[in-house]
Amino acid sequence: MQQRYMDVIRKEFGPLIVGTVPMFDREPKGLAMMAKVAEALLGG
Amino acid sequence: MNVGFSFKEFISSKPGLKYLFFGGKGGVGKTVVSSAAACLLSELGFKTLIGSTNPVHSLSSAFDQDFWGKGITPIKGAKNLYALEIDVSKTVGRYKDDLVDKISMFLKYADIPIKPGPFVEVATTNPAFEEAAMFDDMIDVMLKGEFDVYVFDTAPVAHTYRLLGMSKVYEAWLAKMIKSRQEALSLRLKLSFRKEKVAKEIAEDPLLKSAIEMKKSTDMARRLLTDPERTAFFFVTLPLALPIAVVERFVTWVKAFNIPTGGVIVNCVVPKEKFDLEKASPYLVHKIEEQEHYLKVIHEKFPGEVLAHLPLMETEVRGLEMIAHLAEALKHPSRA
């Protein structure tokens, strides 16, 4: 299901996509987890 | 842990319940949960309206049917179930016209020869204006009484807070308006030579009349919203820290407005019994452990008030069939 919607997003927003953030194995909470989210954002 | 009522049992315990509101942090599934609740109520035989007061409506997407701009619309495939995505644009337009009239009248009385345009712009270029219109439209729908039960999918917390706060603000503001208008009119009467004519004019004062009229409907709305037999506010959360924290704050606000609370519904609970956790990936095991921790937290924070754990479905909840499926889960008490 997710893959299907990822395809939809790529098709609809293609060049506008500036990052993909994974769902982590814990809720992003606190500085350490925020740093992980930031890394994912920068790493694209 | 305390296992309380199921959502369905809560409904059965309140035979007079007519107005149900669903709120919570953005993204927790308010639309889907309120739709499921409306679906359940319609199945129980109540003529039910699911209305959205969120300026960014999602009912059409949830049911995969187009409700926007159509007023109250029967939901295809369902019995007793209708949808409404409130469109405030007409009400906002009417407010503007009304304000032009009132401000012009006021300026005329005060002998101030200026056009009301800029005043109206200042008064209406204001985010609270749309909320006031949303509140009025919602109350209108409630008062028309065409349905047995009304379920409202509200906007994220901050909007709803202001929406609910409207009635209190209105009340204070109107009381002041009415008082100052009465004072002004009584002075006018004292100062006038033709007392009889002025007294007659005062009795028909349009500003005072409309303020009193507005106060009447606001009082009525407040009575409905604060009546525990007729109204209940439900909180939707996910088994995660951020949405739980929002619900905690939200409960305090709702209570401060004397709006009766119904309970908490936890959405997107992964059915752990479907996995062999011995063999599952560490990622999944960790996610489920985290969920179990937060479910415990929710039951500790809201003992006896958790009305349902709704499962995270295999696919996105879309369309009446899936919503009806979710409604089934509202019949069972939450597993503690």
Side-chain angles (χ1 to χ4, degrees):
Chain A
M1 177 182 87
Q2 175 172 304
Q3 289 313 320
R4 188 162 62 87
Y5 282 123
M6 283 302 285
D7 287 343
V8 173
I9 292 168
R10 276 189 215 106
K11 208 177 126 215
E12 296 285 327
F13 308 116
L16 296 173
I17 303 170
V18 292
T20 312
V21 179
M23 173 143 124
F24 291 95
D25 68 349
R26 71 194 67 187
E27 184 181 16
K29 215 184 109 192
L31 186 61
M33 282 303 289
M34 285 310 143
K36 273 193 165 185
V37 177
E39 210 175 291
L41 268 176
L42 292 174
Chain B
M1 264 181 272
N2 199 340
V3 181
F5 278 137
S6 73
F7 178 77
K8 191 185 169 201
E9 283 163 342
F10 179 87
I11 301 292
S12 317
S13 75
K14 296 235 170 224
L17 196 62
K18 208 170 166 64
Y19 310 110
L20 294 84
F21 294 85
F22 288 80
K25 191 176 184 306
V28 296
K30 290 181 291 294
T31 304
V32 162
V33 174
S34 55
S35 299
C39 187
L40 176 68
L41 287 156
S42 72
E43 279 173 20
L44 294 173
F46 299 107
K47 189 180 175 197
T48 307
L49 178 74
I50 167 87
S52 161
T53 63
N54 191 338
V56 187
H57 297 296
S58 295
L59 284 178
S60 292
S61 310
F63 283 95
D64 204 9
Q65 297 182 23
D66 189 15
F67 306 128
W68 176 240
K70 297 188 173 169
I72 293 173
T73 313
I75 295 177
K76 280 185 222 126
K79 224 177 108 185
N80 292 329
L81 188 55
Y82 299 76
L84 170 67
E85 288 182 338
I86 294 177
D87 175 7
V88 295
S89 60
K90 275 187 204 138
T91 306
V92 167
R94 208 180 58 230
Y95 275 7
K96 285 198 182 187
D97 295 345
D98 203 37
L99 261 177
V100 173
D101 287 353
K102 291 217 176 84
I103 294 177
S104 312
M105 209 186 297
F106 184 78
L107 294 174
K108 198 184 94 194
Y109 280 169
D111 273 333
I112 304 171
I114 35 177
K115 287 204 156 71
F119 291 100
V120 175
E121 281 312 307
V122 168
T124 59
T125 313
N126 176 340
F129 203 67
E130 297 227 341
E131 254 133 42
M134 186 66 87
F135 184 80
D136 275 1
D137 282 359
M138 181 185 85
I139 296 295
D140 269 357
V141 171
M142 285 164 67
L143 292 180
K144 269 191 196 141
E146 292 168 25
F147 293 88
D148 300 324
V149 186
Y150 299 78
V151 179
F152 289 103
D153 170 22
T154 72
V157 177
H159 276 271
T160 307
Y161 176 58
R162 288 200 296 266
L163 186 72
L164 298 176
M166 275 324 293
S167 64
K168 222 171 184 173
V169 175
Y170 261 1
E171 199 174 71
W173 178 75
L174 280 170
K176 185 137 183 71
M177 276 288 285
I178 291 171
K179 191 165 168 268
S180 66
R181 191 73 197 144
Q182 277 165 341
E183 278 169 8
L185 293 175
S186 85
L187 273 176
R188 187 163 168 233
L189 185 64
K190 273 183 201 152
L191 293 172
S192 66
F193 295 110
R194 300 160 302 152
K195 293 214 186 308
E196 221 164 275
K197 184 170 173 278
V198 171
K200 201 175 160 229
E201 261 177 46
I202 287 172
E204 283 165 10
D205 177 63
L207 286 178
L208 189 61
K209 236 185 199 168
S210 92
I212 289 173
E213 205 51 48
M214 214 162 141
K215 184 152 176 19
K216 251 193 226 157
S217 68
T218 308
D219 286 349
M220 174 78 103
R222 247 179 110 60
R223 267 205 300 283
L224 290 183
L225 289 177
T226 55
D227 179 352
E229 295 309 314
R230 283 185 288 183
T231 296
F233 204 106
F234 298 90
F235 304 91
V236 184
T237 186
L238 302 178
L240 290 172
L242 271 58
I244 296 172
V246 166
V247 168
E248 278 190 281
R249 283 198 296 271
F250 205 3
V251 169
T252 339
W253 292 342
V254 167
K255 285 189 175 158
F257 290 130
N258 298 322
I259 292 165
T261 56
V264 176
I265 292 166
V266 190
N267 193 23
C268 294
V269 177
V270 176
K272 64 171 180 178
E273 61 284 357
K274 289 201 174 160
F275 299 95
D276 179 356
L277 290 178
E278 301 275 307
K279 289 180 189 153
S281 73
Y283 177 91
L284 186 65
V285 172
H286 206 274
K287 264 284 161 209
I288 289 180
E289 277 171 6
E290 181 188 49
Q291 162 178 304
E292 295 307 303
H293 164 70
Y294 282 122
L295 284 175
K296 209 170 138 230
V297 169
I298 295 170
H299 283 267
E300 279 165 9
K301 287 189 189 287
F302 310 103
E305 291 182 87
V306 184
L307 298 177
H309 288 178
L310 301 182
L312 178 71
M313 301 284 195
E314 269 177 60
T315 55
E316 187 182 16
V317 177
R318 251 197 123 183
L320 182 63
E321 205 180 315
M322 290 272 315
I323 289 170
H325 199 64
L326 202 60
E328 273 301 304
L330 285 172
K331 293 181 185 169
H332 310 295
S334 59
R335 65 174 167 84

